[in-house]
Amino acid sequence: MSDSKKRQPSIETQVTQALHFVEGETGAVVPSIQPTATYARDENYDIRKPYWYRRDGSQTTAHAEAVIAQLEGAAESLLFSSGMSACTAVIEHLETGAHVVVPEVMYHGVLQQIQIYAAKGRIQVSYYTAGNLQELAAAVKPNITQLVWVETPNNPNWEVTDIQAAADIAHKAGAKLMADCTGTPPSMTKALDFGADFSFHSATKYLNGHSDVTAGVLSVRETGQFWEDIFWVRKLQGTVLTSFDAWLLIRGMRTLFLRVERACENAMKIAKHFVDHPHIEAVLYPGLETDPGHEVAKRQTNGQFGAMLSLIVKGCEQDAIDVTRFCEIFYPATSLGGVESLIEHRKTVSGEGFPVHERLLRLSIGIESTDDLIYDLEQAIERTFH
Ligand SMILES: *Cc1c(COP(=O)(O)O)cnc(C)c1O
């Protein structure tokens, strides 16, 4: 077969094989972990590029970054020690006094960080209702706003924001668009393809998928001075991902497509099961045809919709808390994107002062048997309302 006819391996194959990794000397198909904190200079006392100290990065971390860059269709990706340190690096690299536009309700850690920076006068913030493009457009100040932040789907109500439309609004005003798509990993949403300038994922969640690493990743279509600045924030703050965690992440990503497909199927079945349930007031899930974000989610998530959903329980706040207490298969824990299913009373977790419905249960659906998961929720609801 001539080279021009040769089939290029699909992204599923590339990610599963960690970019067809083969170790040069041994032929090992799994990379070694390189934990070194420092690197010897060469015989001329020059630095052996690209590393001279661990805070620059490492071979293992760079390998994980290469896999994610491939997934995202990115020029480059940078891995941080947590999603929060990656988000913080983006805020840090802005000029003092920069105007940013963010959703009023979003992942609480990021919102808290933005509010702390705003209170110190380090940045200026305007808010919009998650998913509402008119409000987003109204909050953007032409030639003043530097960054527009979207989270889609948006915690914890799973509003969907049209990334392409948000990017157009941001770019027209001369601002960059940051897209936090943690809820739908790059196997289903490639934010850069929709025009985002930064694609962000908490790799703690779906990318790793096994609840045993905290990591965050930023990806860009084009590099430039701003990207260099962000690299230096990571280097000087020492927030690069460790080699051990990068290795676990590479291993976790090998099953990304399989895990996510199964989790989304489970989520859809669970969401449909609880629509019109006598003890459930509402099911918040973009996969439902009645959901306001359904059409945009469909094209933005490769038809998969994600595996995060929320249930608004009837009754009182304590009833919602009781459902989480009575679950025997769902873990009553925060976080998301692991193979195991989690349930949380979001108001308790986000803390006072954060606008979230008092009877909202946030569910991260894993890859267990759907029947077991539905049975578990049903028995917990039954015990709550008996
Ligand atoms: C978890 C999460 C973060 C923060 O990531 P960490 O890895 O926990 O620091 C940011 N955004 C969203 C949407 C998240 O779910």
Side-chain angles (χ1 to χ4, degrees):
M1 205 184 284
S2 75
D3 267 4
S4 63
K5 288 225 185 96
K6 216 169 142 190
R7 184 185 156 85
Q8 289 301 312
S10 64
I11 190 67
E12 285 93 330
T13 300
Q14 292 180 56
V15 172
T16 301
Q17 299 191 342
L19 308 180
H20 200 70
F21 178 83
V22 181
E23 196 163 73
E25 282 178 17
T26 64
V29 300
V30 172
S32 308
I33 305 176
Q34 181 42 264
T36 194
T38 191
Y39 294 83
R41 287 170 178 250
D42 69 10
E43 60 280 8
N44 299 316
Y45 203 64
D46 287 331
I47 292 164
R48 284 185 233 242
K49 293 248 153 87
Y51 313 112
W52 70 298
Y53 189 58
R54 183 63 183 83
R55 278 188 281 103
D56 295 324
S58 79
Q59 297 92 307
T60 318
T61 305
H63 186 174
E65 287 169 345
V67 175
I68 297 171
Q70 194 69 19
L71 259 171
E72 291 271 28
E76 280 184 25
S77 299
L78 282 174
L79 270 164
F80 291 75
S81 54
S82 69
M84 282 309 303
S85 54
C87 291
T88 303
V90 172
I91 306 167
E92 272 289 329
H93 101 288
L94 297 171
E95 289 161 20
T96 297
H99 181 244
V100 303
V101 172
V102 306
E104 206 163 23
V105 178
M106 65 193 292
Y107 179 77
H108 69 298
V110 174
L111 188 61
Q112 223 176 338
Q113 182 72 297
I114 284 171
Q115 287 170 343
I116 288 169
Y117 275 67
K120 288 180 176 167
R122 178 66 182 75
I123 55 172
Q124 292 178 44
V125 187
S126 298
Y127 298 94
Y128 67 95
T129 302
N132 186 325
L133 288 170
Q134 286 76 30
E135 281 189 31
L136 189 158
V140 170
K141 302 178 189 175
N143 305 318
I144 293 176
T145 304
Q146 287 191 12
L147 189 71
V148 174
W149 200 295
V150 302
E151 185 181 313
T152 185
N154 196 110
N155 259 286
N157 302 319
W158 314 114
E159 294 96 341
V160 176
T161 303
D162 186 328
I163 301 170
Q164 184 78 62
D168 290 347
I169 294 167
H171 294 160
K172 229 176 259 165
K176 285 198 158 92
L177 184 77
M178 163 84 164
D180 178 347
C181 296
T182 297
T184 54
S187 54
M188 49 176 136
T189 301
K190 293 186 206 300
L192 300 178
D193 285 357
F194 293 114
D197 299 281
F198 296 105
S199 174
F200 162 76
H201 289 268
S202 165
T204 310
K205 316 292 169 55
Y206 291 100
L207 284 167
N208 181 60
H210 294 77
S211 307
D212 51 11
V213 163
T214 61
V217 66
L218 291 172
S219 302
V220 288
R221 221 173 323 111
E222 289 166 29
T223 58
Q225 187 55 47
F226 74 98
W227 190 239
E228 183 83 354
D229 292 349
I230 287 174
F231 172 82
W232 276 88
V233 172
R234 185 181 82 165
K235 179 180 162 93
L236 296 179
Q237 294 188 342
T239 51
V240 64
L241 187 66
T242 69
S243 296
F244 289 103
D245 284 347
W247 189 87
L248 280 169
L249 179 56
I250 293 167
R251 186 170 71 170
M253 288 191 294
R254 288 176 185 271
T255 55
L256 175 72
F257 283 85
L258 207 53
R259 283 188 281 107
V260 164
E261 194 181 317
R262 170 61 181 255
C264 292
E265 281 168 18
N266 276 357
M268 183 68 93
K269 286 183 196 155
I270 292 168
K272 284 185 172 158
H273 179 90
F274 286 100
V275 169
D276 297 328
H277 187 282
H279 293 296
I280 300 297
E281 189 173 297
V283 179
L284 310 180
Y285 181 59
L288 297 173
E289 280 172 22
T290 48
D291 189 277
H294 183 75
E295 285 309 317
V296 176
K298 198 176 187 170
R299 69 182 131 84
Q300 222 165 247
T301 65
N302 207 12
Q304 288 186 292
F305 301 108
M308 293 303 298
L309 60 99
S310 294
L311 301 177
I312 312 269
V313 175
K314 286 185 185 166
C316 64
E317 183 171 357
Q318 188 58 44
D319 292 330
I321 295 170
D322 284 349
V323 173
T324 69
R325 291 199 307 125
F326 294 146
C327 280
E328 292 173 356
I329 290 175
F330 277 82
Y331 291 89
T334 194
S335 196
L336 60 106
V339 291
E340 65 288 303
S341 297
L342 309 178
I343 186 166
E344 65 178 5
H345 179 246
R346 193 62 187 165
K347 182 165 173 249
T348 304
V349 175
S350 325
E352 284 303 323
F354 193 86
V356 47
H357 195 293
E358 62 180 18
R359 287 179 278 119
L360 183 143
L361 299 179
R362 192 184 85 169
L363 277 60
S364 170
I365 304 300
I367 65 170
E368 304 97 328
S369 143
T370 330
D371 292 345
D372 289 346
L373 296 176
I374 291 174
Y375 177 83
D376 193 36
L377 291 168
E378 283 286 10
Q379 68 80 27
I381 291 168
E382 171 69 28
R383 278 169 75 187
T384 301
F385 294 100
H386 67 268

